[in-house]
Amino acid sequence: MNPELEKALRVADFIELGQLMAMDALQRKESCGGHFREEYQDSEGETLRDDENFSFVGAWENKGYDVTKSELHKEELKYEFIKIAARNYK
């Protein structure tokens, strides 16, 4: 066992995870919850959501060492008892 090599591999894993999180954030074309994008806000600075296109749970499948080749799998969210509404943070 080489403990320094093991540490380096853990760092590489964290870097890969960070890259994947950035890819996930960039593919989302809305502001929602803690995920705020300046280009998706209204004139008062409130979040602009796109529930029609982004109402899903996503999971990324690893396709090798290149995270840009990872595949996004989506499972649609279906609400029966609540109405989806944008939050007002004022």
Side-chain angles (χ1 to χ4, degrees), residues 34-88:
H35 180 94
F36 181 80
R37 292 185 63 169
E38 288 184 359
E39 64 271 29
Y40 297 100
Q41 63 180 315
D42 64 18
S43 60
E44 297 179 354
E46 293 295 316
T47 61
L48 285 179
R49 291 178 40 164
D50 183 1
D51 293 325
E52 186 174 318
N53 295 310
F54 292 98
S55 183
F56 62 85
V57 174
W60 288 89
E61 179 182 354
N62 185 348
K63 296 285 189 173
Y65 290 107
D66 185 358
V67 295
T68 61
K69 295 181 179 168
S70 297
E71 181 180 352
L72 176 60
H73 298 279
K74 300 176 183 179
E75 181 179 324
E76 184 181 351
L77 292 172
K78 297 179 184 176
Y79 296 100
E80 297 177 22
F81 303 106
I82 63 170
K83 181 182 180 227
I84 298 175
R87 292 183 185 173
N88 185 339

Side-chain angles (χ1 to χ4, degrees), residues 15-26:
I15 290 172
E16 187 177 322
L17 177 62
Q19 288 175 318
L20 193 56
M21 290 173 70
M23 280 179 38
D24 187 64
L26 289 171

